[in-house]
Amino acid sequence: MTNADESSQTDREKPSLARNTTSYIGALITLIALLNIVFLVIAEMTSSDGNPYVGILAYMVLPAVLILGLGLVAAGMLLERRRRRRTRPEEIARFPRIDLNNARTRRLVTFALLGGVAFIFVSLLGSYKAYEYTDSTEFCGALCHQVMHPEYIAYKASPHARVGCVDCHVGPGAGWYVRSKLSGAYQVYSVLMKKYPKPITTPVHNLRPAQETCEQCHWPEKFFGAQLKVFNHFGYDEANTPRETQMLIKTGGGSPTGGLTAGIHWHMNIANEITYAASDDQHQKIPWVQMKGPDGKVTVFTAQDAEMTPEEMDRLPRRRMDCVSCHNRPTHIYVPPDRSVDRALLAGTISTSLPYIKQQAVETLSKEYGSTNEALVAIHRDLRAYYRENHPDLQASDKRLIDRAIAEVRKIYQTTIFPEMRVDWRTHPDNIGHFYSNGCFRCHDDRHVSSDGKVIRKECDVCHAVISQKEGGTVMVEAPHNEFQHPVDLGDLTLFDCADCHSGGPM
């Protein structure tokens, strides 16, 4: 036997550096984490019900625990080596000689290489799954269930319910992905330390430009002409009288090189450049608008009633008009009670035969409640009490319709109003149209005037043409007719804003 073999045999007889409490604890943590990862991955692959916590545990939390366990094993060995060097240096094994002529060494090297390749492969797979999971809708909406609950519920009921959160909030490319994760790190801190605002503030000021997200599916050039829109409302009277308005919305669009450029999407046409300045965080007050035409001519409009000096107006941040300037709630839509109940009456989930149900439902939904549970109890109590006291005959004949209406009103509350986060239709106004908030009238108000006397007009026929209006079974307006006829004669409608009376709540 050679001296090298004798030395190797002697080293093998010396106790392993891994024989210490710290390394044992680390090995135990590693084993437990590994077994849990395997179990959760199998559970996720075999389960049809997605759970946001399974993903974050399997691909983020437990891998970090596993690495911590491996680190404890290594740290324990280093500490043990240092202890033996001071007390029993003869028990410290020398570093092994890598001699591939030795069969045992070859087996160890082969095992180490195969283990390393397997570890790298599993790490890459886990990293990709972690990346994929952090881009999932469940991660964005369901993980922080209280903070993002209003946004998540509204998202699931929106026209974009099949579009992932990251498709709009992040978009393609590594650069914006990194930016979103850096921003998300602070958001995680805010959630853990409860430093987030109630409600979550909008608009998102660092949102990626709409040209790089929204216009991947929608772009102004794809639209032409007008679109038929039917508006259905119900009265606050005993009969819940239906009102129907048919309008042609002058959506417009087109391309300067391929066809006509006109209509509402004229604002967004690439030949025009509209810039505006808002004096509030939610962009509901716009005292300054600039239009740059295809010929390069620039026209500036300022609000005559703006309570600002020219110097103050010059300091306002400028923003170029894009999709989200008007479509500011394309997904997280908090529908007002008035519209929610109209939809339920139109769909038949609330019966129009119940007297004053529109009035009572909207009034009940619009009250202030401390929590969702308190609201659900109050809705059931108040609606039940109203019909018991004012229409006792319905308790016997139409009790089923009352129960169904109560259930639908409770459902409306749960999907549109969130008192825990102080979120409802008033905290997040919708800029499409001008019924419940100023929307279009932020600029089209007859009060934005240029230096040469041009005015941003407010007339109804600028954006839409009325085809017909019906109230009950009576036709109020028939084509051709461009202007809207209000059910109550208010005179010149350009002197009013719809939102002056229509708040989304009780009339």
Side-chain angles (χ1 to χ4, degrees):
M1 181 180 294
T2 64
N3 292 335
D5 292 336
E6 292 177 357
S7 175
S8 177
Q9 184 176 1
T10 303
D11 288 343
R12 287 197 298 269
E13 294 173 352
K14 294 177 179 179
S16 170
L17 292 175
R19 292 184 179 179
N20 62 83
T21 304
T22 303
S23 294
Y24 287 156
I25 293 174
L28 181 62
I29 291 174
T30 301
L31 180 61
I32 293 173
L34 181 61
L35 292 176
N36 277 279
I37 290 172
V38 173
F39 170 76
L40 290 176
V41 169
I42 294 175
E44 185 188 41
M45 294 173 63
T46 56
S47 174
S48 58
D49 298 327
N51 188 316
Y53 295 101
V54 171
I56 196 170
L57 285 173
Y59 303 116
M60 301 179 70
V61 176
L62 287 175
V65 174
L66 187 145
I67 293 173
L68 173 64
L70 292 175
L72 285 176
V73 172
M77 295 176 68
L78 291 174
L79 292 173
E80 179 66 13
R81 184 180 180 87
R82 182 178 299 176
R83 185 185 68 79
R84 291 185 188 181
R85 183 180 292 134
R86 292 196 307 268
T87 59
R88 297 191 299 273
E90 69 279 358
E91 291 188 1
I92 301 177
R94 291 175 295 183
F95 290 107
R97 293 186 178 91
I98 301 177
D99 183 3
L100 297 180
N101 292 312
N102 185 295
R104 182 174 180 275
T105 302
R106 286 198 304 273
R107 287 195 298 270
L108 289 174
V109 170
T110 302
F111 176 78
L113 289 175
L114 292 176
V117 171
F119 180 79
I120 292 173
F121 175 77
V122 172
S123 298
L124 290 174
L125 180 63
S127 298
Y128 174 75
K129 290 294 292 184
Y131 156 77
E132 185 182 51
Y133 179 68
T134 57
D135 271 4
S136 68
T137 300
E138 289 74 20
F139 178 82
C140 297
L143 187 64
C144 301
H145 54 91
Q146 179 181 350
V147 180
M148 298 305 295
H149 179 68
E151 285 77 10
Y152 187 52
I153 296 299
Y155 159 80
K156 291 196 295 184
S158 78
H160 290 99
R162 295 188 179 183
V163 180
C165 300
V166 296
D167 292 334
C168 296
H169 285 272
V170 181
W176 279 91
Y177 175 81
V178 173
R179 289 179 62 172
S180 70
K181 297 312 170 189
L182 292 176
S183 174
Y186 177 75
Q187 293 169 10
V188 171
Y189 163 76
S190 298
V191 171
L192 293 176
M193 303 304 294
K194 298 188 181 301
K195 291 183 175 294
Y196 52 87
K198 294 182 180 181
I200 300 298
T201 56
T202 59
V204 181
H205 295 291
N206 60 348
L207 193 66
R208 190 167 185 174
Q211 290 82 358
E212 301 175 18
T213 52
C214 307
E215 292 189 22
Q216 301 303 304
C217 298
H218 315 277
W219 58 97
E221 290 91 337
K222 71 178 290 187
F223 298 101
F224 291 90
Q227 294 179 325
L228 176 63
K229 182 84 172 178
V230 180
F231 299 89
N232 291 281
H233 299 283
F234 291 82
Y236 286 82
D237 56 344
E238 182 176 3
N240 308 297
T241 303
R243 298 190 182 101
E244 179 188 283
T245 302
Q246 296 184 7
M247 285 186 178
L248 280 179
I249 308 299
K250 301 176 183 179
T251 308
S255 167
T257 58
L260 179 67
T261 58
I264 298 170
H265 280 147
W266 171 90
H267 297 83
M268 278 295 301
N269 193 276
I270 56 175
N272 306 300
E273 183 178 318
I274 309 296
T275 308
Y276 66 90
S279 59
D280 66 320
D281 291 336
Q282 286 194 313
H283 298 178
Q284 297 302 298
K285 298 177 181 179
I286 301 177
W288 183 92
V289 179
Q290 175 182 285
M291 181 189 74
K292 182 178 180 181
D295 57 358
K297 181 180 178 181
V298 175
T299 305
V300 175
F301 300 86
T302 55
Q304 292 180 313
D305 56 353
E307 298 178 355
M308 303 180 69
T309 65
E311 293 75 17
E312 291 174 330
M313 200 171 295
D314 288 341
R315 288 196 293 268
L316 294 176
R318 269 46 173 171
R319 177 185 173 88
R320 180 170 179 178
M321 188 175 185
D322 62 7
C323 303
V324 296
S325 298
C326 295
H327 297 270
N328 66 318
R329 310 231 59 86
T331 299
H332 307 297
I333 307 169
Y334 304 105
V335 185
D338 177 61
R339 184 181 296 172
S340 296
V341 176
D342 280 342
R343 291 177 177 178
L345 290 167
L346 183 65
T349 52
I350 296 179
S351 174
T352 56
S353 66
L354 292 174
Y356 291 108
I357 185 60
K358 168 72 180 290
Q359 177 196 83
Q360 293 301 311
V362 173
E363 182 177 331
T364 306
L365 286 167
S366 302
K367 291 180 180 178
E368 297 292 336
Y369 301 104
S371 68
T372 299
N373 288 334
E374 178 187 331
L376 298 181
V377 171
I379 289 170
H380 183 276
R381 181 193 63 232
D382 294 349
L383 288 179
R384 179 73 66 194
Y386 173 80
Y387 284 103
R388 183 175 59 250
E389 296 169 7
N390 297 279
H391 301 277
D393 53 310
L394 295 179
Q395 292 294 318
S397 61
D398 288 332
K399 183 177 183 300
R400 182 179 59 84
L401 293 181
I402 296 174
D403 291 341
R404 188 179 179 188
I406 291 173
E408 184 64 22
V409 174
R410 284 159 60 104
K411 179 182 176 182
I412 289 172
Y413 190 93
Q414 289 177 293
T415 55
T416 59
I417 303 173
F418 308 90
E420 290 81 2
M421 285 299 295
R422 303 172 191 163
V423 170
D424 59 26
W425 77 100
R426 292 164 294 197
T427 59
H428 294 79
D430 191 346
N431 291 333
I432 286 294
H434 46 73
F435 199 59
Y436 300 110
S437 60
N438 280 338
C440 310
F441 290 163
R442 294 175 299 161
C443 301
H444 287 267
D445 57 0
D446 279 342
R447 294 191 290 271
H448 283 72
V449 183
S450 68
S451 58
D452 57 356
K454 292 182 179 179
V455 178
I456 301 181
R457 296 189 299 133
K458 189 181 179 180
E459 286 87 349
C460 296
D461 62 352
V462 172
C463 296
H464 47 65
V466 176
I467 297 177
S468 70
Q469 287 182 248
K470 300 177 183 178
E471 181 170 352
T474 304
V475 176
M476 298 168 58
V477 172
E478 289 184 300
H481 200 286
N482 285 332
E483 293 189 2
F484 174 76
Q485 180 176 322
H486 198 278
V488 178
D489 187 7
L490 299 177
D492 186 359
L493 293 180
T494 61
L495 300 178
F496 304 92
D497 290 340
C498 300
D500 292 342
C501 298
H502 295 276
S503 64
M507 291 294 290

